[in-house]
Amino acid sequence: MKKVGVLSLQGDFAAHGAALERLGAQPVYVREPAQFREIDGLIIPGGESTTMLKLLRYENLMEPLAEFGRSRPMFGTCAGAILMAREVTQPEQESLGLMDIGVERNAYGRQIDSRVTAIDPAAEFEQRTSPGKLEAVFIRAPIIRRLGEGSKVLAMYHNDPVLVEQGPHMVATFHPELTSDSRVHELFLEKL
Ligand code: GLN
């Protein structure tokens, strides 16, 4: 059985755990460095990236997390995507730099900061999982403003990439863990 870490300092880690269980994987709720030895890959959930950063520093997890990501697959959703990016703006903040992308935080503005919408994933996403629209929940989401080399866009919303794969890693600016559609997690499990 695949053991998948879910960083559990803050945010909606429990929803990721439930999504993994639905797919027959075993979630490991990661709160300390020793746990990296037990897992095949790691998910950084949505939440508040600034708060997560503070807790990561406090728990001395920044370096072990970055090191894990240099050798094993990681998947970041929303705040998790912000933490995995190389550049973060609005405002600038420290990140792990595991994905060569640039993100702008809270980029949809205050008025329409959260929404649920059905998007058409890329053909490749449907080929690797199964066909059908993807329900995307955006909550104070970032926008990916720069895509580095080797990025594969697996879904777009209003001309912005919202699901991107780069080598072993993946990020989503929406929250696949909050819907019953398990295909995004399924895709991540394929990478482990
Ligand atoms: N706005 C949050 C941030 O900047 C992300 C929101 C989320 O994870 N749903 O970290």
Side-chain angles (χ1 to χ4, degrees):
M1 191 193 262
K2 284 174 184 168
K3 281 190 166 187
V4 185
V6 184
L7 185 68
S8 302
L9 299 177
Q10 191 265 342
D12 73 336
F13 50 84
H16 276 288
L20 291 168
E21 277 170 355
R22 283 200 297 275
L23 290 167
Q26 186 188 329
V28 175
Y29 297 98
V30 173
R31 296 191 175 92
E32 49 186 87
Q35 292 175 290
F36 287 107
R37 286 199 294 270
E38 300 171 31
I39 54 177
D40 304 308
L42 179 89
I43 295 176
I44 307 185
E48 184 54 50
S49 57
T50 310
T51 310
M52 254 186 247
L53 260 181
K54 276 189 200 145
L55 295 169
L56 282 168
R57 291 191 194 112
Y58 184 76
E59 302 288 344
N60 289 317
L61 275 165
M62 278 305 270
E63 194 37 49
L65 191 55
E67 198 186 309
F68 182 81
R70 287 192 282 271
S71 61
R72 298 298 310 163
M74 271 173 55
F75 172 33
T77 58
C78 204
I82 296 170
L83 287 172
M84 284 176 66
R86 190 160 291 170
E87 308 101 38
V88 180
T89 54
Q90 198 176 289
E92 279 185 24
Q93 75 184 15
E94 189 188 349
S95 56
L96 298 163
L98 291 167
M99 291 258 300
D100 182 18
I101 57 170
V103 301
E104 180 184 330
R105 293 178 61 204
N106 301 312
Y108 291 99
R110 286 230 174 96
Q111 297 306 315
I112 44 167
D113 64 356
S114 302
R115 82 199 71 179
V116 182
T117 184
I119 57 178
D120 285 309
E124 180 174 334
F125 177 86
E126 297 186 303
Q127 279 152 17
R128 285 164 63 184
T129 58
S130 49
K133 280 186 181 284
L134 199 53
E135 192 182 357
V137 180
F138 292 95
I139 306 169
R140 289 175 294 107
I143 291 182
I144 298 169
R145 295 292 188 199
R146 186 186 68 78
L147 285 174
E149 233 166 86
S151 302
K152 196 178 283 171
V153 177
L154 295 171
M156 308 254 283
Y157 174 62
H158 285 178
N159 289 325
D160 292 310
V162 294
L163 179 64
V164 174
E165 177 181 48
Q166 199 178 76
H169 303 313
M170 243 169 73
V171 290
T173 60
F174 59 97
H175 288 268
E177 73 283 9
L178 297 181
T179 67
S180 55
D181 187 338
S182 298
R183 286 175 296 162
V184 178
H185 287 82
E186 185 186 321
L187 195 69
F188 181 60
L189 291 179
E190 290 293 317
K191 296 164 77 62
L192 303 183

